[in-house]
Amino acid sequence: MQNASAPHSAAQPAGQPVAQDQPRRTIALVDDDRNILTTVSIALQTEGFATRLYTDGDNALKALLDNPPDLAVCDIKMPRMDGLELLRRLREQSDLPVIFLTSKDDEADEALGLAMGADDYIAKPFSQRLLLARIRAILRRSEIVRRDIVAADAEAPEALPDPIRRGRLVMDPARHVVTWNGKLVSLTVTEFLILEALAVRPGVVRTRDQLMNAAYHDDVFVDDRTIDSHIKRLRRKFRAVDSQFSAIETLYGAGYSYSEE
């Protein structure tokens, strides 16, 4: 096997042609288990993706920042730099979508990873079909945001969706820009969609299932802890620019709502 510490992108398998005007999406795989790297990479390439392989976070970090893929799938437990530290450093400079691979006994790490800004996680052992479904779901959401940004640059202002204004909150869906009291708040795609689902109807309680549907738009199972962790990270980001932020309210046993100030 080729040294997995270096990026690797295999040719498209026979029978899986890719249109010239539709370049393949690139998935970075970061895991110290070379068997997982090999089998997942083959599965992704068979489905039309290009892959880059890294055996630890230390080797992956610079490459992910200098030449970002469309999405990264990262193991948590790795030598030299684990997945949590890799994510922490990525989030200082990038909103690259990240899916964590975890072990069944890594519940604390899963929650911490989501709180730090991971988009999703999958527990090992996992089915390749489930991983592919999660990857496609996140890429679709990212593509929607990218198309809106392109449209915002190309279309007449009257053709764009209106910004959402709720008190000190302003959300611009066309540009994926959020401000609070005039200060920029950087959100991942998942965080943006969850906040948007809450802000469009202030005071209305959204269940976790409703927020999952708003954020994922796919028949993909995501447990309650995932939504709770995204909400905690949203609050943390807004409190970084306003320590008194309290617009996202919890109705215990029911869900969350946005309180327009």
Side-chain angles (χ1 to χ4, degrees), residues 66 121 123 126 130-131 134 139 180 196 204 206 225 245:
D66 290 350
Y121 70 89
F126 57 89
L130 175 62
L131 177 59
R134 297 288 180 91
L139 289 177
W180 177 262
E196 183 179 33
V204 174
R206 298 288 191 180
R225 181 175 52 199
F245 175 83

Side-chain angles (χ1 to χ4, degrees), residues 3 39 46 68 90 109 184 221:
N3 184 351
T39 57
T46 300
L90 278 174
D109 286 342
L184 184 66
F221 174 76

Side-chain angles (χ1 to χ4, degrees), residues 18-240:
V18 176
Q20 293 299 315
D21 58 345
Q22 295 181 348
R24 289 187 292 168
R25 310 300 290 276
T26 300
I27 311 299
L29 304 175
V30 190
D31 198 313
D32 62 321
D33 187 326
R34 292 172 183 266
N35 288 329
I36 289 179
L37 286 178
T38 300
T39 57
V40 173
S41 179
I42 291 172
L44 289 173
Q45 291 164 15
T46 300
E47 294 297 318
F49 294 99
T51 60
R52 302 177 195 159
L53 313 184
Y54 307 92
T55 54
D56 62 73
D58 193 42
N59 281 319
L61 179 61
K62 186 175 187 301
L64 295 181
L65 290 173
D66 290 350
N67 185 21
D70 294 286
L71 181 146
V73 178
C74 302
D75 189 23
I76 286 184
K77 298 296 176 63
M78 294 185 293
R80 299 179 64 186
M81 182 190 297
D82 66 16
L84 293 174
E85 178 63 13
L86 172 61
L87 177 64
R88 185 188 70 79
R89 297 194 187 187
L90 278 174
R91 285 293 175 259
E92 292 176 349
Q93 304 179 53
S94 170
D95 286 331
L96 172 72
V98 173
I99 296 176
F100 268 144
L101 299 180
T102 71
S103 299
K104 286 186 176 180
D105 58 353
D106 285 342
E107 291 186 1
D109 286 342
E110 290 168 0
L112 179 57
L114 291 169
M116 292 169 62
D119 290 88
D120 209 339
Y121 70 89
I122 297 177
K124 297 179 180 178
F126 57 89
S127 74
Q128 293 180 359
R129 179 178 298 179
L130 175 62
L131 177 59
L132 284 165
R134 297 288 180 91
I135 288 173
R136 288 192 175 108
I138 292 174
L139 289 177
R140 275 193 286 272
R141 286 148 43 208
S142 300
E143 183 60 30
I144 289 169
V145 171
R146 273 194 288 266
R147 285 202 305 264
D148 287 344
I149 291 173
V150 170
D153 291 336
E155 296 179 10
E158 60 269 21
L160 302 177
D162 292 331
I164 300 168
R165 302 180 186 275
R166 300 289 185 264
R168 287 177 282 176
L169 173 71
V170 179
M171 300 185 69
D172 187 344
R175 295 177 174 82
H176 191 67
V177 172
V178 177
T179 60
W180 177 262
N181 206 24
K183 296 179 180 178
L184 184 66
V185 182
S186 178
L187 303 182
T188 65
V189 172
T190 305
E191 293 162 353
F192 188 97
L193 292 172
I194 290 173
L195 179 61
E196 183 179 33
L198 292 170
V200 290
R201 297 190 67 186
V204 174
V205 176
R206 298 288 191 180
T207 67
R208 290 174 177 83
D209 283 344
Q210 289 172 328
L211 293 177
M212 290 176 196
N213 291 334
Y216 288 87
H217 296 297
D218 288 273
D219 186 19
V220 176
F221 174 76
V222 182
D223 67 21
D224 290 353
R225 181 175 52 199
T226 302
I227 296 299
D228 292 343
S229 294
H230 286 311
I231 291 290
K232 289 177 182 177
R233 183 164 174 83
L234 275 168
R235 286 172 171 154
R236 186 178 300 117
K237 286 186 173 184
F238 277 93
R239 286 170 183 162

